[in-house]
mmCIF file with all atom_site columns, all heavy atoms in Angstrom:
data_model
loop_
_atom_site.group_PDB
_atom_site.id
_atom_site.type_symbol
_atom_site.label_atom_id
_atom_site.label_alt_id
_atom_site.label_comp_id
_atom_site.label_asym_id
_atom_site.label_entity_id
_atom_site.label_seq_id
_atom_site.pdbx_PDB_ins_code
_atom_site.Cartn_x
_atom_site.Cartn_y
_atom_site.Cartn_z
_atom_site.occupancy
_atom_site.B_iso_or_equiv
_atom_site.pdbx_formal_charge
_atom_site.auth_seq_id
_atom_site.auth_comp_id
_atom_site.auth_asym_id
_atom_site.auth_atom_id
_atom_site.pdbx_PDB_model_num
ATOM 1   N N   . THR J 1 1  ? 98.340  101.240 104.533 1.00 98.00 ? 155 THR J N   1
ATOM 2   C CA  . THR J 1 1  ? 97.111  100.857 105.236 1.00 98.00 ? 155 THR J CA  1
ATOM 3   C C   . THR J 1 1  ? 97.334  100.808 106.734 1.00 98.00 ? 155 THR J C   1
ATOM 4   O O   . THR J 1 1  ? 96.535  101.345 107.516 1.00 98.00 ? 155 THR J O   1
ATOM 5   C CB  . THR J 1 1  ? 96.613  99.491  104.724 1.00 98.00 ? 155 THR J CB  1
ATOM 6   O OG1 . THR J 1 1  ? 96.331  99.576  103.313 1.00 98.00 ? 155 THR J OG1 1
ATOM 7   C CG2 . THR J 1 1  ? 95.354  99.063  105.458 1.00 98.00 ? 155 THR J CG2 1
ATOM 8   N N   . GLU J 1 2  ? 98.419  100.191 107.156 1.00 98.00 ? 156 GLU J N   1
ATOM 9   C CA  . GLU J 1 2  ? 98.743  100.132 108.581 1.00 98.00 ? 156 GLU J CA  1
ATOM 10  C C   . GLU J 1 2  ? 98.925  101.534 109.152 1.00 98.00 ? 156 GLU J C   1
ATOM 11  O O   . GLU J 1 2  ? 98.491  101.825 110.285 1.00 98.00 ? 156 GLU J O   1
ATOM 12  C CB  . GLU J 1 2  ? 100.010 99.310  108.801 1.00 98.00 ? 156 GLU J CB  1
ATOM 13  C CG  . GLU J 1 2  ? 100.383 99.170  110.276 1.00 98.00 ? 156 GLU J CG  1
ATOM 14  C CD  . GLU J 1 2  ? 101.704 98.446  110.461 1.00 98.00 ? 156 GLU J CD  1
ATOM 15  O OE1 . GLU J 1 2  ? 102.661 98.743  109.726 1.00 98.00 ? 156 GLU J OE1 1
ATOM 16  O OE2 . GLU J 1 2  ? 101.779 97.577  111.352 1.00 98.00 ? 156 GLU J OE2 1
ATOM 17  N N   . GLY J 1 3  ? 99.545  102.408 108.378 1.00 98.00 ? 157 GLY J N   1
ATOM 18  C CA  . GLY J 1 3  ? 99.763  103.776 108.845 1.00 98.00 ? 157 GLY J CA  1
ATOM 19  C C   . GLY J 1 3  ? 98.469  104.498 109.156 1.00 98.00 ? 157 GLY J C   1
ATOM 20  O O   . GLY J 1 3  ? 98.395  105.265 110.124 1.00 98.00 ? 157 GLY J O   1
ATOM 21  N N   . VAL J 1 4  ? 97.443  104.253 108.364 1.00 98.00 ? 158 VAL J N   1
ATOM 22  C CA  . VAL J 1 4  ? 96.148  104.870 108.632 1.00 98.00 ? 158 VAL J CA  1
ATOM 23  C C   . VAL J 1 4  ? 95.569  104.338 109.946 1.00 98.00 ? 158 VAL J C   1
ATOM 24  O O   . VAL J 1 4  ? 95.070  105.109 110.777 1.00 98.00 ? 158 VAL J O   1
ATOM 25  C CB  . VAL J 1 4  ? 95.164  104.600 107.477 1.00 98.00 ? 158 VAL J CB  1
ATOM 26  C CG1 . VAL J 1 4  ? 93.758  105.075 107.846 1.00 98.00 ? 158 VAL J CG1 1
ATOM 27  C CG2 . VAL J 1 4  ? 95.635  105.298 106.210 1.00 98.00 ? 158 VAL J CG2 1
ATOM 28  N N   . PHE J 1 5  ? 95.653  103.048 110.157 1.00 98.00 ? 159 PHE J N   1
ATOM 29  C CA  . PHE J 1 5  ? 95.117  102.461 111.394 1.00 98.00 ? 159 PHE J CA  1
ATOM 30  C C   . PHE J 1 5  ? 95.844  102.990 112.632 1.00 98.00 ? 159 PHE J C   1
ATOM 31  O O   . PHE J 1 5  ? 95.232  103.178 113.683 1.00 98.00 ? 159 PHE J O   1
ATOM 32  C CB  . PHE J 1 5  ? 95.214  100.939 111.352 1.00 98.00 ? 159 PHE J CB  1
ATOM 33  C CG  . PHE J 1 5  ? 94.133  100.277 110.558 1.00 98.00 ? 159 PHE J CG  1
ATOM 34  C CD1 . PHE J 1 5  ? 94.423  99.612  109.373 1.00 98.00 ? 159 PHE J CD1 1
ATOM 35  C CD2 . PHE J 1 5  ? 92.814  100.294 110.985 1.00 98.00 ? 159 PHE J CD2 1
ATOM 36  C CE1 . PHE J 1 5  ? 93.434  98.987  108.637 1.00 98.00 ? 159 PHE J CE1 1
ATOM 37  C CE2 . PHE J 1 5  ? 91.808  99.674  110.260 1.00 98.00 ? 159 PHE J CE2 1
ATOM 38  C CZ  . PHE J 1 5  ? 92.121  99.020  109.077 1.00 98.00 ? 159 PHE J CZ  1
ATOM 39  N N   . THR J 1 6  ? 97.139  103.220 112.518 1.00 98.00 ? 160 THR J N   1
ATOM 40  C CA  . THR J 1 6  ? 97.913  103.640 113.691 1.00 98.00 ? 160 THR J CA  1
ATOM 41  C C   . THR J 1 6  ? 97.840  105.135 113.963 1.00 98.00 ? 160 THR J C   1
ATOM 42  O O   . THR J 1 6  ? 98.150  105.571 115.069 1.00 98.00 ? 160 THR J O   1
ATOM 43  C CB  . THR J 1 6  ? 99.389  103.231 113.539 1.00 98.00 ? 160 THR J CB  1
ATOM 44  O OG1 . THR J 1 6  ? 99.908  103.789 112.334 1.00 98.00 ? 160 THR J OG1 1
ATOM 45  C CG2 . THR J 1 6  ? 99.524  101.712 113.500 1.00 98.00 ? 160 THR J CG2 1
ATOM 46  N N   . THR J 1 7  ? 97.432  105.914 112.978 1.00 98.00 ? 161 THR J N   1
ATOM 47  C CA  . THR J 1 7  ? 97.420  107.371 113.161 1.00 98.00 ? 161 THR J CA  1
ATOM 48  C C   . THR J 1 7  ? 96.021  107.972 113.168 1.00 98.00 ? 161 THR J C   1
ATOM 49  O O   . THR J 1 7  ? 95.875  109.172 113.396 1.00 98.00 ? 161 THR J O   1
ATOM 50  C CB  . THR J 1 7  ? 98.233  108.056 112.041 1.00 98.00 ? 161 THR J CB  1
ATOM 51  O OG1 . THR J 1 7  ? 97.671  107.720 110.762 1.00 98.00 ? 161 THR J OG1 1
ATOM 52  C CG2 . THR J 1 7  ? 99.690  107.621 112.096 1.00 98.00 ? 161 THR J CG2 1
ATOM 53  N N   . THR J 1 8  ? 95.001  107.173 112.916 1.00 98.00 ? 162 THR J N   1
ATOM 54  C CA  . THR J 1 8  ? 93.622  107.668 112.913 1.00 98.00 ? 162 THR J CA  1
ATOM 55  C C   . THR J 1 8  ? 92.747  106.706 113.709 1.00 98.00 ? 162 THR J C   1
ATOM 56  O O   . THR J 1 8  ? 93.212  105.669 114.195 1.00 98.00 ? 162 THR J O   1
ATOM 57  C CB  . THR J 1 8  ? 93.053  107.776 111.482 1.00 98.00 ? 162 THR J CB  1
ATOM 58  O OG1 . THR J 1 8  ? 92.768  106.464 110.981 1.00 98.00 ? 162 THR J OG1 1
ATOM 59  C CG2 . THR J 1 8  ? 94.038  108.479 110.557 1.00 98.00 ? 162 THR J CG2 1
ATOM 60  N N   . ALA J 1 9  ? 91.479  107.042 113.807 1.00 97.00 ? 163 ALA J N   1
ATOM 61  C CA  . ALA J 1 9  ? 90.510  106.180 114.480 1.00 97.00 ? 163 ALA J CA  1
ATOM 62  C C   . ALA J 1 9  ? 89.786  105.277 113.488 1.00 97.00 ? 163 ALA J C   1
ATOM 63  O O   . ALA J 1 9  ? 88.670  104.806 113.753 1.00 97.00 ? 163 ALA J O   1
ATOM 64  C CB  . ALA J 1 9  ? 89.494  107.033 115.243 1.00 97.00 ? 163 ALA J CB  1
ATOM 65  N N   . ALA J 1 10 ? 90.425  105.002 112.356 1.00 98.00 ? 164 ALA J N   1
ATOM 66  C CA  . ALA J 1 10 ? 89.795  104.193 111.318 1.00 98.00 ? 164 ALA J CA  1
ATOM 67  C C   . ALA J 1 10 ? 89.533  102.771 111.811 1.00 98.00 ? 164 ALA J C   1
ATOM 68  O O   . ALA J 1 10 ? 90.357  102.177 112.513 1.00 98.00 ? 164 ALA J O   1
ATOM 69  C CB  . ALA J 1 10 ? 90.674  104.154 110.075 1.00 98.00 ? 164 ALA J CB  1
ATOM 70  N N   . ASP J 1 11 ? 88.393  102.229 111.416 1.00 98.00 ? 165 ASP J N   1
ATOM 71  C CA  . ASP J 1 11 ? 88.038  100.837 111.717 1.00 98.00 ? 165 ASP J CA  1
ATOM 72  C C   . ASP J 1 11 ? 88.062  99.974  110.469 1.00 98.00 ? 165 ASP J C   1
ATOM 73  O O   . ASP J 1 11 ? 88.233  98.765  110.555 1.00 98.00 ? 165 ASP J O   1
ATOM 74  C CB  . ASP J 1 11 ? 86.654  100.779 112.360 1.00 98.00 ? 165 ASP J CB  1
ATOM 75  C CG  . ASP J 1 11 ? 86.617  101.500 113.685 1.00 98.00 ? 165 ASP J CG  1
ATOM 76  O OD1 . ASP J 1 11 ? 87.249  101.010 114.633 1.00 98.00 ? 165 ASP J OD1 1
ATOM 77  O OD2 . ASP J 1 11 ? 85.978  102.568 113.774 1.00 98.00 ? 165 ASP J OD2 1
ATOM 78  N N   . LEU J 1 12 ? 87.866  100.589 109.319 1.00 98.00 ? 166 LEU J N   1
ATOM 79  C CA  . LEU J 1 12 ? 87.956  99.899  108.036 1.00 98.00 ? 166 LEU J CA  1
ATOM 80  C C   . LEU J 1 12 ? 88.619  100.850 107.047 1.00 98.00 ? 166 LEU J C   1
ATOM 81  O O   . LEU J 1 12 ? 88.218  102.005 106.922 1.00 98.00 ? 166 LEU J O   1
ATOM 82  C CB  . LEU J 1 12 ? 86.563  99.484  107.540 1.00 98.00 ? 166 LEU J CB  1
ATOM 83  C CG  . LEU J 1 12 ? 86.495  98.669  106.237 1.00 98.00 ? 166 LEU J CG  1
ATOM 84  C CD1 . LEU J 1 12 ? 85.277  97.740  106.252 1.00 98.00 ? 166 LEU J CD1 1
ATOM 85  C CD2 . LEU J 1 12 ? 86.452  99.545  104.991 1.00 98.00 ? 166 LEU J CD2 1
ATOM 86  N N   . VAL J 1 13 ? 89.661  100.365 106.384 1.00 98.00 ? 167 VAL J N   1
ATOM 87  C CA  . VAL J 1 13 ? 90.418  101.155 105.422 1.00 98.00 ? 167 VAL J CA  1
ATOM 88  C C   . VAL J 1 13 ? 90.313  100.471 104.064 1.00 98.00 ? 167 VAL J C   1
ATOM 89  O O   . VAL J 1 13 ? 90.373  99.239  103.967 1.00 98.00 ? 167 VAL J O   1
ATOM 90  C CB  . VAL J 1 13 ? 91.898  101.278 105.839 1.00 98.00 ? 167 VAL J CB  1
ATOM 91  C CG1 . VAL J 1 13 ? 92.704  102.018 104.780 1.00 98.00 ? 167 VAL J CG1 1
ATOM 92  C CG2 . VAL J 1 13 ? 92.008  101.980 107.191 1.00 98.00 ? 167 VAL J CG2 1
ATOM 93  N N   . PHE J 1 14 ? 90.146  101.263 103.020 1.00 98.00 ? 168 PHE J N   1
ATOM 94  C CA  . PHE J 1 14 ? 90.125  100.702 101.670 1.00 98.00 ? 168 PHE J CA  1
ATOM 95  C C   . PHE J 1 14 ? 90.796  101.675 100.720 1.00 98.00 ? 168 PHE J C   1
ATOM 96  O O   . PHE J 1 14 ? 90.952  102.859 101.033 1.00 98.00 ? 168 PHE J O   1
ATOM 97  C CB  . PHE J 1 14 ? 88.696  100.387 101.220 1.00 98.00 ? 168 PHE J CB  1
ATOM 98  C CG  . PHE J 1 14 ? 87.800  101.587 101.101 1.00 98.00 ? 168 PHE J CG  1
ATOM 99  C CD1 . PHE J 1 14 ? 87.511  102.132 99.870  1.00 98.00 ? 168 PHE J CD1 1
ATOM 100 C CD2 . PHE J 1 14 ? 87.234  102.169 102.235 1.00 98.00 ? 168 PHE J CD2 1
ATOM 101 C CE1 . PHE J 1 14 ? 86.686  103.245 99.752  1.00 98.00 ? 168 PHE J CE1 1
ATOM 102 C CE2 . PHE J 1 14 ? 86.407  103.276 102.131 1.00 98.00 ? 168 PHE J CE2 1
ATOM 103 C CZ  . PHE J 1 14 ? 86.134  103.815 100.890 1.00 98.00 ? 168 PHE J CZ  1
ATOM 104 N N   . THR J 1 15 ? 91.215  101.182 99.569  1.00 98.00 ? 169 THR J N   1
ATOM 105 C CA  . THR J 1 15 ? 91.996  101.986 98.637  1.00 98.00 ? 169 THR J CA  1
ATOM 106 C C   . THR J 1 15 ? 91.369  101.971 97.251  1.00 98.00 ? 169 THR J C   1
ATOM 107 O O   . THR J 1 15 ? 90.482  101.165 96.951  1.00 98.00 ? 169 THR J O   1
ATOM 108 C CB  . THR J 1 15 ? 93.441  101.467 98.534  1.00 98.00 ? 169 THR J CB  1
ATOM 109 O OG1 . THR J 1 15 ? 93.498  100.380 97.604  1.00 98.00 ? 169 THR J OG1 1
ATOM 110 C CG2 . THR J 1 15 ? 93.970  101.005 99.880  1.00 98.00 ? 169 THR J CG2 1
ATOM 111 N N   . ASP J 1 16 ? 91.886  102.835 96.408  1.00 98.00 ? 170 ASP J N   1
ATOM 112 C CA  . ASP J 1 16 ? 91.549  102.795 94.994  1.00 98.00 ? 170 ASP J CA  1
ATOM 113 C C   . ASP J 1 16 ? 92.412  101.717 94.335  1.00 98.00 ? 170 ASP J C   1
ATOM 114 O O   . ASP J 1 16 ? 93.320  101.150 94.954  1.00 98.00 ? 170 ASP J O   1
ATOM 115 C CB  . ASP J 1 16 ? 91.810  104.172 94.363  1.00 98.00 ? 170 ASP J CB  1
ATOM 116 C CG  . ASP J 1 16 ? 91.038  104.386 93.073  1.00 98.00 ? 170 ASP J CG  1
ATOM 117 O OD1 . ASP J 1 16 ? 90.408  103.430 92.574  1.00 98.00 ? 170 ASP J OD1 1
ATOM 118 O OD2 . ASP J 1 16 ? 91.071  105.515 92.554  1.00 98.00 ? 170 ASP J OD2 1
ATOM 119 N N   . GLY J 1 17 ? 92.124  101.415 93.090  1.00 98.00 ? 171 GLY J N   1
ATOM 120 C CA  . GLY J 1 17 ? 92.900  100.437 92.357  1.00 98.00 ? 171 GLY J CA  1
ATOM 121 C C   . GLY J 1 17 ? 92.999  100.809 90.891  1.00 98.00 ? 171 GLY J C   1
ATOM 122 O O   . GLY J 1 17 ? 92.140  101.513 90.351  1.00 98.00 ? 171 GLY J O   1
ATOM 123 N N   . GLU J 1 18 ? 94.042  100.332 90.246  1.00 98.00 ? 172 GLU J N   1
ATOM 124 C CA  . GLU J 1 18 ? 94.214  100.542 88.803  1.00 98.00 ? 172 GLU J CA  1
ATOM 125 C C   . GLU J 1 18 ? 93.684  99.319  88.075  1.00 98.00 ? 172 GLU J C   1
ATOM 126 O O   . GLU J 1 18 ? 94.105  98.187  88.362  1.00 98.00 ? 172 GLU J O   1
ATOM 127 C CB  . GLU J 1 18 ? 95.687  100.749 88.463  1.00 98.00 ? 172 GLU J CB  1
ATOM 128 C CG  . GLU J 1 18 ? 95.942  100.918 86.976  1.00 98.00 ? 172 GLU J CG  1
ATOM 129 C CD  . GLU J 1 18 ? 97.423  100.946 86.627  1.00 98.00 ? 172 GLU J CD  1
ATOM 130 O OE1 . GLU J 1 18 ? 98.247  100.652 87.525  1.00 98.00 ? 172 GLU J OE1 1
ATOM 131 O OE2 . GLU J 1 18 ? 97.748  101.252 85.469  1.00 98.00 ? 172 GLU J OE2 1
ATOM 132 N N   . LEU J 1 19 ? 92.758  99.504  87.158  1.00 97.00 ? 173 LEU J N   1
ATOM 133 C CA  . LEU J 1 19 ? 92.244  98.386  86.383  1.00 97.00 ? 173 LEU J CA  1
ATOM 134 C C   . LEU J 1 19 ? 93.259  98.001  85.314  1.00 97.00 ? 173 LEU J C   1
ATOM 135 O O   . LEU J 1 19 ? 93.777  98.860  84.591  1.00 97.00 ? 173 LEU J O   1
ATOM 136 C CB  . LEU J 1 19 ? 90.906  98.737  85.734  1.00 97.00 ? 173 LEU J CB  1
ATOM 137 C CG  . LEU J 1 19 ? 89.659  98.431  86.568  1.00 97.00 ? 173 LEU J CG  1
ATOM 138 C CD1 . LEU J 1 19 ? 89.642  99.278  87.840  1.00 97.00 ? 173 LEU J CD1 1
ATOM 139 C CD2 . LEU J 1 19 ? 88.386  98.671  85.770  1.00 97.00 ? 173 LEU J CD2 1
ATOM 140 N N   . VAL J 1 20 ? 93.548  96.690  85.240  1.00 97.00 ? 174 VAL J N   1
ATOM 141 C CA  . VAL J 1 20 ? 94.492  96.179  84.245  1.00 97.00 ? 174 VAL J CA  1
ATOM 142 C C   . VAL J 1 20 ? 93.853  95.009  83.515  1.00 97.00 ? 174 VAL J C   1
ATOM 143 O O   . VAL J 1 20 ? 92.897  94.393  84.007  1.00 97.00 ? 174 VAL J O   1
ATOM 144 C CB  . VAL J 1 20 ? 95.822  95.743  84.896  1.00 97.00 ? 174 VAL J CB  1
ATOM 145 C CG1 . VAL J 1 20 ? 96.500  96.912  85.596  1.00 97.00 ? 174 VAL J CG1 1
ATOM 146 C CG2 . VAL J 1 20 ? 95.609  94.586  85.878  1.00 97.00 ? 174 VAL J CG2 1
ATOM 147 N N   . ASP J 1 21 ? 94.383  94.683  82.357  1.00 96.00 ? 175 ASP J N   1
ATOM 148 C CA  . ASP J 1 21 ? 93.853  93.554  81.594  1.00 96.00 ? 175 ASP J CA  1
ATOM 149 C C   . ASP J 1 21 ? 94.512  92.254  82.047  1.00 96.00 ? 175 ASP J C   1
ATOM 150 O O   . ASP J 1 21 ? 95.258  92.227  83.044  1.00 96.00 ? 175 ASP J O   1
ATOM 151 C CB  . ASP J 1 21 ? 94.014  93.779  80.094  1.00 96.00 ? 175 ASP J CB  1
ATOM 152 C CG  . ASP J 1 21 ? 95.476  93.866  79.646  1.00 96.00 ? 175 ASP J CG  1
ATOM 153 O OD1 . ASP J 1 21 ? 96.382  93.458  80.420  1.00 96.00 ? 175 ASP J OD1 1
ATOM 154 O OD2 . ASP J 1 21 ? 95.726  94.342  78.514  1.00 96.00 ? 175 ASP J OD2 1
ATOM 155 N N   . GLU J 1 22 ? 94.244  91.186  81.341  1.00 95.00 ? 176 GLU J N   1
ATOM 156 C CA  . GLU J 1 22 ? 94.756  89.873  81.742  1.00 95.00 ? 176 GLU J CA  1
ATOM 157 C C   . GLU J 1 22 ? 96.265  89.830  81.824  1.00 95.00 ? 176 GLU J C   1
ATOM 158 O O   . GLU J 1 22 ? 96.830  89.119  82.658  1.00 95.00 ? 176 GLU J O   1
ATOM 159 C CB  . GLU J 1 22 ? 94.235  88.802  80.776  1.00 95.00 ? 176 GLU J CB  1
ATOM 160 C CG  . GLU J 1 22 ? 92.730  88.613  80.830  1.00 95.00 ? 176 GLU J CG  1
ATOM 161 C CD  . GLU J 1 22 ? 92.283  87.358  80.104  1.00 95.00 ? 176 GLU J CD  1
ATOM 162 O OE1 . GLU J 1 22 ? 93.162  86.591  79.645  1.00 95.00 ? 176 GLU J OE1 1
ATOM 163 O OE2 . GLU J 1 22 ? 91.066  87.125  80.016  1.00 95.00 ? 176 GLU J OE2 1
ATOM 164 N N   . SER J 1 23 ? 96.933  90.600  80.976  1.00 94.00 ? 177 SER J N   1
ATOM 165 C CA  . SER J 1 23 ? 98.402  90.584  80.969  1.00 94.00 ? 177 SER J CA  1
ATOM 166 C C   . SER J 1 23 ? 98.998  91.597  81.929  1.00 94.00 ? 177 SER J C   1
ATOM 167 O O   . SER J 1 23 ? 100.214 91.729  82.010  1.00 94.00 ? 177 SER J O   1
ATOM 168 C CB  . SER J 1 23 ? 98.914  90.850  79.545  1.00 94.00 ? 177 SER J CB  1
ATOM 169 O OG  . SER J 1 23 ? 98.543  92.149  79.113  1.00 94.00 ? 177 SER J OG  1
ATOM 170 N N   . GLY J 1 24 ? 98.137  92.321  82.646  1.00 95.00 ? 178 GLY J N   1
ATOM 171 C CA  . GLY J 1 24 ? 98.617  93.296  83.608  1.00 95.00 ? 178 GLY J CA  1
ATOM 172 C C   . GLY J 1 24 ? 98.820  94.689  83.046  1.00 95.00 ? 178 GLY J C   1
ATOM 173 O O   . GLY J 1 24 ? 99.345  95.562  83.746  1.00 95.00 ? 178 GLY J O   1
ATOM 174 N N   . GLN J 1 25 ? 98.394  94.909  81.805  1.00 96.00 ? 179 GLN J N   1
ATOM 175 C CA  . GLN J 1 25 ? 98.539  96.224  81.186  1.00 96.00 ? 179 GLN J CA  1
ATOM 176 C C   . GLN J 1 25 ? 97.397  97.138  81.627  1.00 96.00 ? 179 GLN J C   1
ATOM 177 O O   . GLN J 1 25 ? 96.237  96.733  81.684  1.00 96.00 ? 179 GLN J O   1
ATOM 178 C CB  . GLN J 1 25 ? 98.536  96.097  79.663  1.00 96.00 ? 179 GLN J CB  1
ATOM 179 C CG  . GLN J 1 25 ? 99.719  95.318  79.110  1.00 96.00 ? 179 GLN J CG  1
ATOM 180 C CD  . GLN J 1 25 ? 101.047 95.943  79.476  1.00 96.00 ? 179 GLN J CD  1
ATOM 181 O OE1 . GLN J 1 25 ? 101.280 97.127  79.205  1.00 96.00 ? 179 GLN J OE1 1
ATOM 182 N NE2 . GLN J 1 25 ? 101.926 95.159  80.093  1.00 96.00 ? 179 GLN J NE2 1
#
């Protein structure tokens, strides 16, 4: 995330995520 801010003109950065259950699976 920091790399995007330092190398682009980004003002807000967001990512994808992996959905997991309660136990983290």
Side-chain angles (χ1 to χ4, degrees):
T155 300
E156 182 185 44
V158 172
F159 280 113
T160 57
T161 59
T162 74
D165 297 292
L166 184 150
V167 176
F168 64 102
T169 83
D170 201 352
E172 178 187 9
L173 270 64
V174 299
D175 64 16
E176 295 193 5
S177 64
Q179 296 301 305

